[in-house]
Amino acid sequence: MRVLVVGSGGREHALVWKLSQSPLVTEIFVAPGNGGMEMDGVTSVPVQADDIIGLVKLAREKQINLVVPGPEAALTLGIADALEAAGVACFGPDRYCSQLEGSKAFAKEVMNKSGVPTAACAVFKDADEAKNFIRKHKGGLVVKADGLAAGKGVIVCPSQEEALKAIDLIMTQKAFGNSGSTVVVEELLQGEEVSLLCLCDGEHAVPLPSAQDHKAAYDNDQGPNTGGMGAYSPAPILPDEELEKMTDLVIRPVLKHLAAKGHPFVGVLYAGLMMTADGPKVLEYNVRFGDPECQPLLCRLDSDLLSIMLAAVRGELKPELVHFTPKSAVGVVITADGYPGSYEKGMPIEGIEDAQSLPGVVVFHSGTKRVDGKLVSSGGRILCVTALGEDLASARARSYEGVERIHLPGSRYRKDIGMKGIVRLEQLKAGK
Ligand code: AMP
Ligand code: GLY
């Protein structure tokens, strides 16, 4: 079978890596790919991840059997609809379903209609109305641009003053362009965050083990939000025994709602959860694998990913197809100094083979490219050093051992990936 993976990040490298292990796969194409994806049987093609017409043309030309879009942009632009019209299978939701990620107001409406617990909210198209609402509200608030804003359109506002400023920034100064012409203002929730990703075939959902991302740039969740500085799985705050119950609460009602609208959801539905004192609440949906959650999750997957994706596309997904190792996995992202602000590119990268010689370590590339055969950095997030271990502590130790073996001038990483899980495990052990 011939597969086309769309995207160029660490998530897509992990997808290519896992799919290339499938006995069913004969050739993989990746558009546009990155410097780490050059392996036997994998061909990078310079078509951008949001060029829907170019991607459909490529899929036809190369007689692709399955397209796997990585990033949300392709999905919200309707790649699944375009591929369906061209008769090519796609492991990803249609444009209607992708609004779950593409429009926060749409996601809220679906959650409210299907009874999914989430923060109370109000939606505004007018800055003055939004401000009047905020002035009447005492506690902290979160102001969100409705549309896609590369993870930056959410402003957490502990005070009324900050919420009013956020409205100015998003609606008046249009910091996120048209994405901010509608805003969602919602109650500020407190708790630990965790991600639940489910494989979906339109009707059925099979949960993957839990994962936890680290969005802030610096240790102890300090500094600006990034695309994700590291992730691990499982997260003890959402143990395996609770996955089915959580899927019943936050995923299955949404699948039912979308199917009733005539848009069965196929692909990965990802719920970003806040575990509050009042129970779990959904912060957001993504309609794809998370980056970097995908990297540790796929390291733990023992089953054939292509068979799973094909079953999902055919509406025949079964839990028996999906097996995970009970081991833990930790992925630490190495970024350019300065990221998520401005940073340098073109730094030489060495030591990847040395890191990968450690048992259970795989280094996934994000912002890398090859120049005259040499690997150099080409983005903010550069590598994700991922390791399996018998438990979270050993996976963490091995992942950081791998990080130490990589030489990348002008780079940095968080030292505390997985620490929340370690602390929780210690508390559980102490009977707290
Ligand atoms: P989102 O893109 O909606 O997931 O928001 C990005 C980040 O903002 C989340 O990962 C949370 O850390 C934070 N956030 C979003 N909504 C809320 C909320 N209602 N209360 C507290 N924090 C939130
Ligand atoms: N790691 C969070 C995301 O992919 O949106």
Side-chain angles (χ1 to χ4, degrees), residues 363-407:
V363 180
F364 295 111
H365 296 231
S366 312
T368 74
K369 65 176 183 184
R370 287 190 194 272
V371 178
D372 302 330
K374 289 216 164 73
L375 194 69
V376 299
S377 69
S378 63
R381 291 195 290 179
I382 303 169
L383 299 170
C384 181
V385 182
T386 311
L388 277 177
E390 290 306 319
D391 56 20
L392 181 54
S394 50
R396 232 180 80 76
R398 202 169 280 167
S399 175
Y400 279 108
E401 211 180 317
V403 170
E404 294 295 324
R405 291 186 178 197
I406 289 171
H407 304 286

Short mmCIF file of all heavy atoms in Angstrom, two decimals, residues 363-407:
data_model
loop_
_atom_site.label_atom_id
_atom_site.label_comp_id
_atom_site.label_asym_id
_atom_site.label_seq_id
_atom_site.Cartn_x
_atom_site.Cartn_y
_atom_site.Cartn_z
N VAL A 363 14.92 9.42 18.08
CA VAL A 363 14.96 10.88 17.97
C VAL A 363 14.11 11.29 16.77
O VAL A 363 14.44 10.96 15.63
CB VAL A 363 16.42 11.39 17.80
CG1 VAL A 363 16.44 12.91 17.68
CG2 VAL A 363 17.29 10.91 18.96
N PHE A 364 13.01 11.99 17.05
CA PHE A 364 12.15 12.47 15.98
C PHE A 364 12.53 13.90 15.62
O PHE A 364 12.77 14.73 16.51
CB PHE A 364 10.68 12.40 16.41
CG PHE A 364 10.22 10.99 16.64
CD1 PHE A 364 9.92 10.53 17.92
CD2 PHE A 364 10.12 10.10 15.57
CE1 PHE A 364 9.51 9.22 18.13
CE2 PHE A 364 9.72 8.78 15.77
CZ PHE A 364 9.41 8.34 17.05
N HIS A 365 12.56 14.18 14.32
CA HIS A 365 12.96 15.52 13.85
C HIS A 365 11.73 16.40 13.66
O HIS A 365 10.69 15.92 13.21
CB HIS A 365 13.65 15.42 12.49
CG HIS A 365 14.94 14.68 12.52
ND1 HIS A 365 16.09 15.19 11.98
CD2 HIS A 365 15.26 13.46 13.02
CE1 HIS A 365 17.07 14.30 12.13
NE2 HIS A 365 16.59 13.24 12.76
N SER A 366 11.87 17.71 13.97
CA SER A 366 10.82 18.68 13.64
C SER A 366 11.42 19.70 12.70
O SER A 366 11.28 19.60 11.49
CB SER A 366 10.29 19.39 14.88
OG SER A 366 10.00 18.49 15.90
N GLY A 367 12.15 20.69 13.27
CA GLY A 367 12.76 21.72 12.44
C GLY A 367 14.17 21.34 12.08
O GLY A 367 15.13 21.89 12.63
N THR A 368 14.33 20.41 11.14
CA THR A 368 15.68 20.07 10.65
C THR A 368 15.64 20.01 9.13
O THR A 368 14.60 19.75 8.54
CB THR A 368 16.17 18.69 11.16
OG1 THR A 368 15.49 17.66 10.45
CG2 THR A 368 15.98 18.53 12.66
N LYS A 369 16.81 20.24 8.54
CA LYS A 369 16.93 19.98 7.10
C LYS A 369 18.37 19.58 6.78
O LYS A 369 19.27 19.77 7.62
CB LYS A 369 16.49 21.18 6.28
CG LYS A 369 17.34 22.41 6.42
CD LYS A 369 16.85 23.50 5.47
CE LYS A 369 17.78 24.70 5.58
NZ LYS A 369 17.35 25.83 4.78
N ARG A 370 18.56 19.02 5.63
CA ARG A 370 19.92 18.64 5.22
C ARG A 370 20.45 19.64 4.22
O ARG A 370 19.77 19.99 3.25
CB ARG A 370 19.93 17.24 4.61
CG ARG A 370 19.75 16.20 5.68
CD ARG A 370 19.97 14.78 5.23
NE ARG A 370 19.44 13.92 6.29
CZ ARG A 370 20.14 13.52 7.34
NH1 ARG A 370 21.42 13.84 7.46
NH2 ARG A 370 19.56 12.79 8.28
N VAL A 371 21.67 20.15 4.53
CA VAL A 371 22.32 21.07 3.61
C VAL A 371 23.66 20.44 3.27
O VAL A 371 24.47 20.20 4.19
CB VAL A 371 22.51 22.47 4.26
CG1 VAL A 371 23.24 23.41 3.31
CG2 VAL A 371 21.16 23.07 4.66
N ASP A 372 23.89 20.15 1.98
CA ASP A 372 25.09 19.44 1.52
C ASP A 372 25.33 18.18 2.36
O ASP A 372 26.46 17.92 2.83
CB ASP A 372 26.33 20.36 1.60
CG ASP A 372 26.15 21.62 0.78
OD1 ASP A 372 25.42 21.55 -0.23
OD2 ASP A 372 26.69 22.68 1.18
N GLY A 373 24.28 17.45 2.63
CA GLY A 373 24.42 16.18 3.36
C GLY A 373 24.52 16.35 4.87
O GLY A 373 24.48 15.37 5.60
N LYS A 374 24.66 17.59 5.34
CA LYS A 374 24.79 17.81 6.79
C LYS A 374 23.46 18.26 7.38
O LYS A 374 22.75 19.08 6.78
CB LYS A 374 25.85 18.88 7.07
CG LYS A 374 27.25 18.41 6.79
CD LYS A 374 28.23 19.00 7.82
CE LYS A 374 29.56 18.28 7.82
NZ LYS A 374 30.38 18.58 6.65
N LEU A 375 23.18 17.76 8.59
CA LEU A 375 21.91 18.08 9.23
C LEU A 375 22.03 19.40 9.99
O LEU A 375 22.93 19.57 10.81
CB LEU A 375 21.53 16.95 10.20
CG LEU A 375 20.10 16.96 10.70
CD1 LEU A 375 19.14 16.64 9.56
CD2 LEU A 375 19.94 15.94 11.82
N VAL A 376 21.11 20.34 9.73
CA VAL A 376 21.10 21.62 10.46
C VAL A 376 19.67 21.93 10.92
O VAL A 376 18.70 21.37 10.41
CB VAL A 376 21.62 22.80 9.60
CG1 VAL A 376 23.06 22.58 9.15
CG2 VAL A 376 20.71 23.05 8.40
N SER A 377 19.56 22.85 11.89
CA SER A 377 18.23 23.22 12.39
C SER A 377 17.56 24.16 11.39
O SER A 377 18.22 24.94 10.70
CB SER A 377 18.36 23.90 13.75
OG SER A 377 18.96 25.16 13.60
N SER A 378 16.22 24.08 11.34
CA SER A 378 15.48 24.96 10.42
C SER A 378 14.19 25.45 11.04
O SER A 378 13.32 25.95 10.34
CB SER A 378 15.18 24.20 9.12
OG SER A 378 14.34 23.10 9.40
N GLY A 379 14.05 25.29 12.38
CA GLY A 379 12.80 25.73 13.01
C GLY A 379 12.99 25.94 14.50
O GLY A 379 14.12 25.81 15.01
N GLY A 380 11.90 26.28 15.19
CA GLY A 380 11.94 26.55 16.63
C GLY A 380 12.04 25.26 17.43
O GLY A 380 12.95 25.06 18.24
N ARG A 381 11.10 24.37 17.19
CA ARG A 381 11.22 23.04 17.78
C ARG A 381 12.06 22.21 16.82
O ARG A 381 11.75 22.12 15.63
CB ARG A 381 9.84 22.42 17.99
CG ARG A 381 9.08 23.15 19.08
CD ARG A 381 7.87 22.36 19.55
NE ARG A 381 6.80 22.28 18.56
CZ ARG A 381 5.66 21.61 18.76
NH1 ARG A 381 5.47 20.96 19.89
NH2 ARG A 381 4.71 21.59 17.83
N ILE A 382 13.15 21.62 17.30
CA ILE A 382 14.11 21.00 16.39
C ILE A 382 14.03 19.47 16.45
O ILE A 382 13.92 18.80 15.42
CB ILE A 382 15.55 21.49 16.70
CG1 ILE A 382 15.60 23.03 16.60
CG2 ILE A 382 16.54 20.87 15.73
CD1 ILE A 382 16.89 23.65 17.14
N LEU A 383 14.11 18.91 17.65
CA LEU A 383 14.10 17.46 17.81
C LEU A 383 13.22 17.07 18.98
O LEU A 383 13.00 17.90 19.88
CB LEU A 383 15.53 16.94 18.11
CG LEU A 383 16.62 17.20 17.08
CD1 LEU A 383 17.99 16.84 17.69
CD2 LEU A 383 16.40 16.36 15.81
N CYS A 384 12.73 15.86 18.98
CA CYS A 384 12.04 15.32 20.16
C CYS A 384 12.70 13.99 20.48
O CYS A 384 12.57 13.02 19.73
CB CYS A 384 10.55 15.14 19.89
SG CYS A 384 9.64 14.51 21.30
N VAL A 385 13.45 13.97 21.58
CA VAL A 385 14.17 12.77 21.98
C VAL A 385 13.23 11.93 22.85
O VAL A 385 12.86 12.34 23.94
CB VAL A 385 15.46 13.13 22.76
CG1 VAL A 385 16.22 11.86 23.13
CG2 VAL A 385 16.32 14.08 21.95
N THR A 386 12.84 10.78 22.31
CA THR A 386 11.77 9.99 22.94
C THR A 386 12.34 8.66 23.42
O THR A 386 13.13 8.03 22.71
CB THR A 386 10.64 9.77 21.91
OG1 THR A 386 10.32 11.03 21.33
CG2 THR A 386 9.39 9.20 22.55
N ALA A 387 11.96 8.25 24.62
CA ALA A 387 12.49 6.99 25.16
C ALA A 387 11.40 6.19 25.85
O ALA A 387 10.52 6.74 26.50
CB ALA A 387 13.61 7.28 26.15
N LEU A 388 11.50 4.88 25.70
CA LEU A 388 10.64 3.95 26.46
C LEU A 388 11.40 3.53 27.70
O LEU A 388 12.63 3.41 27.68
CB LEU A 388 10.38 2.69 25.63
CG LEU A 388 9.28 2.70 24.58
CD1 LEU A 388 9.29 1.37 23.85
CD2 LEU A 388 7.92 2.96 25.21
N GLY A 389 10.67 3.26 28.78
CA GLY A 389 11.29 2.74 30.00
C GLY A 389 10.28 1.91 30.75
O GLY A 389 9.08 2.01 30.51
N GLU A 390 10.77 1.09 31.67
CA GLU A 390 9.87 0.22 32.43
C GLU A 390 8.83 1.03 33.20
O GLU A 390 7.71 0.62 33.40
CB GLU A 390 10.66 -0.66 33.41
CG GLU A 390 11.50 -1.73 32.73
CD GLU A 390 10.68 -2.61 31.78
OE1 GLU A 390 9.54 -2.97 32.14
OE2 GLU A 390 11.18 -2.91 30.68
N ASP A 391 9.24 2.20 33.66
CA ASP A 391 8.30 3.11 34.35
C ASP A 391 8.65 4.54 33.95
O ASP A 391 9.60 4.77 33.19
CB ASP A 391 8.34 2.90 35.87
CG ASP A 391 9.73 3.06 36.43
OD1 ASP A 391 10.58 3.69 35.74
OD2 ASP A 391 9.99 2.57 37.53
N LEU A 392 7.87 5.48 34.47
CA LEU A 392 8.05 6.88 34.07
C LEU A 392 9.45 7.38 34.42
O LEU A 392 10.10 8.06 33.61
CB LEU A 392 6.96 7.73 34.73
CG LEU A 392 6.95 9.21 34.44
CD1 LEU A 392 6.93 9.49 32.94
CD2 LEU A 392 5.73 9.87 35.11
N ALA A 393 9.94 7.01 35.60
CA ALA A 393 11.26 7.49 36.04
C ALA A 393 12.35 6.99 35.10
O ALA A 393 13.26 7.74 34.71
CB ALA A 393 11.53 7.06 37.48
N SER A 394 12.29 5.71 34.70
CA SER A 394 13.37 5.21 33.85
C SER A 394 13.24 5.76 32.43
O SER A 394 14.26 6.02 31.77
CB SER A 394 13.49 3.69 33.90
OG SER A 394 12.24 3.12 33.68
N ALA A 395 12.00 5.94 31.95
CA ALA A 395 11.84 6.54 30.61
C ALA A 395 12.39 7.96 30.61
O ALA A 395 13.05 8.39 29.66
CB ALA A 395 10.36 6.54 30.22
N ARG A 396 12.13 8.69 31.67
CA ARG A 396 12.62 10.07 31.81
C ARG A 396 14.15 10.09 31.81
O ARG A 396 14.78 10.87 31.08
CB ARG A 396 12.12 10.61 33.16
CG ARG A 396 11.40 11.93 33.10
CD ARG A 396 10.97 12.33 34.50
NE ARG A 396 12.08 12.92 35.24
CZ ARG A 396 12.53 14.15 35.05
NH1 ARG A 396 11.96 14.94 34.19
NH2 ARG A 396 13.56 14.61 35.74
N ALA A 397 14.73 9.20 32.63
CA ALA A 397 16.20 9.17 32.75
C ALA A 397 16.82 8.87 31.39
O ALA A 397 17.79 9.52 30.97
CB ALA A 397 16.60 8.12 33.78
N ARG A 398 16.22 7.92 30.67
CA ARG A 398 16.80 7.53 29.38
C ARG A 398 16.63 8.62 28.33
O ARG A 398 17.52 8.87 27.52
CB ARG A 398 16.15 6.23 28.91
CG ARG A 398 17.04 5.54 27.93
CD ARG A 398 16.57 4.15 27.66
NE ARG A 398 16.95 3.19 28.68
CZ ARG A 398 16.40 1.96 28.74
NH1 ARG A 398 15.49 1.60 27.88
NH2 ARG A 398 16.81 1.12 29.64
N SER A 399 15.50 9.28 28.37
CA SER A 399 15.28 10.34 27.39
C SER A 399 16.30 11.47 27.60
O SER A 399 16.91 11.96 26.64
CB SER A 399 13.85 10.85 27.54
OG SER A 399 13.64 11.92 26.70
N TYR A 400 16.52 11.84 28.86
CA TYR A 400 17.50 12.92 29.13
C TYR A 400 18.93 12.47 28.83
O TYR A 400 19.77 13.28 28.42
CB TYR A 400 17.35 13.44 30.56
CG TYR A 400 16.20 14.44 30.66
CD1 TYR A 400 15.00 14.12 31.29
CD2 TYR A 400 16.31 15.70 30.08
CE1 TYR A 400 13.95 15.03 31.35
CE2 TYR A 400 15.27 16.61 30.13
CZ TYR A 400 14.10 16.27 30.76
OH TYR A 400 13.06 17.18 30.81
N GLU A 401 19.20 11.16 29.00
CA GLU A 401 20.52 10.64 28.63
C GLU A 401 20.71 10.84 27.12
O GLU A 401 21.78 11.24 26.65
CB GLU A 401 20.56 9.15 28.97
CG GLU A 401 21.92 8.63 29.36
CD GLU A 401 21.85 7.13 29.68
OE1 GLU A 401 20.88 6.69 30.37
OE2 GLU A 401 22.75 6.40 29.23
N GLY A 402 19.64 10.58 26.37
CA GLY A 402 19.68 10.79 24.92
C GLY A 402 19.91 12.26 24.59
O GLY A 402 20.74 12.60 23.73
N VAL A 403 19.20 13.15 25.28
CA VAL A 403 19.33 14.60 25.04
C VAL A 403 20.78 15.03 25.25
O VAL A 403 21.34 15.80 24.45
CB VAL A 403 18.39 15.39 25.98
CG1 VAL A 403 18.68 16.88 25.93
CG2 VAL A 403 16.92 15.12 25.62
N GLU A 404 21.42 14.50 26.31
CA GLU A 404 22.82 14.86 26.63
C GLU A 404 23.78 14.48 25.51
O GLU A 404 24.85 15.07 25.37
CB GLU A 404 23.26 14.15 27.92
CG GLU A 404 22.53 14.58 29.18
CD GLU A 404 22.80 16.03 29.53
OE1 GLU A 404 23.95 16.48 29.31
OE2 GLU A 404 21.86 16.71 29.99
N ARG A 405 23.41 13.47 24.75
CA ARG A 405 24.33 13.00 23.69
C ARG A 405 24.22 13.82 22.41
O ARG A 405 24.94 13.57 21.45
CB ARG A 405 24.04 11.53 23.38
CG ARG A 405 24.43 10.63 24.54
CD ARG A 405 24.28 9.19 24.16
NE ARG A 405 24.71 8.35 25.28
CZ ARG A 405 25.02 7.08 25.18
NH1 ARG A 405 24.96 6.48 24.01
NH2 ARG A 405 25.40 6.39 26.23
N ILE A 406 23.27 14.74 22.37
CA ILE A 406 23.08 15.53 21.15
C ILE A 406 23.78 16.87 21.28
O ILE A 406 23.66 17.55 22.31
CB ILE A 406 21.57 15.69 20.85
CG1 ILE A 406 21.07 14.32 20.38
CG2 ILE A 406 21.31 16.76 19.80
CD1 ILE A 406 19.60 14.19 20.24
N HIS A 407 24.54 17.23 20.26
CA HIS A 407 25.26 18.52 20.28
C HIS A 407 24.56 19.45 19.31
O HIS A 407 24.51 19.20 18.12
CB HIS A 407 26.71 18.30 19.89
CG HIS A 407 27.37 17.30 20.77
ND1 HIS A 407 27.72 17.57 22.06
CD2 HIS A 407 27.64 15.99 20.56
CE1 HIS A 407 28.21 16.49 22.62
NE2 HIS A 407 28.17 15.50 21.73
#
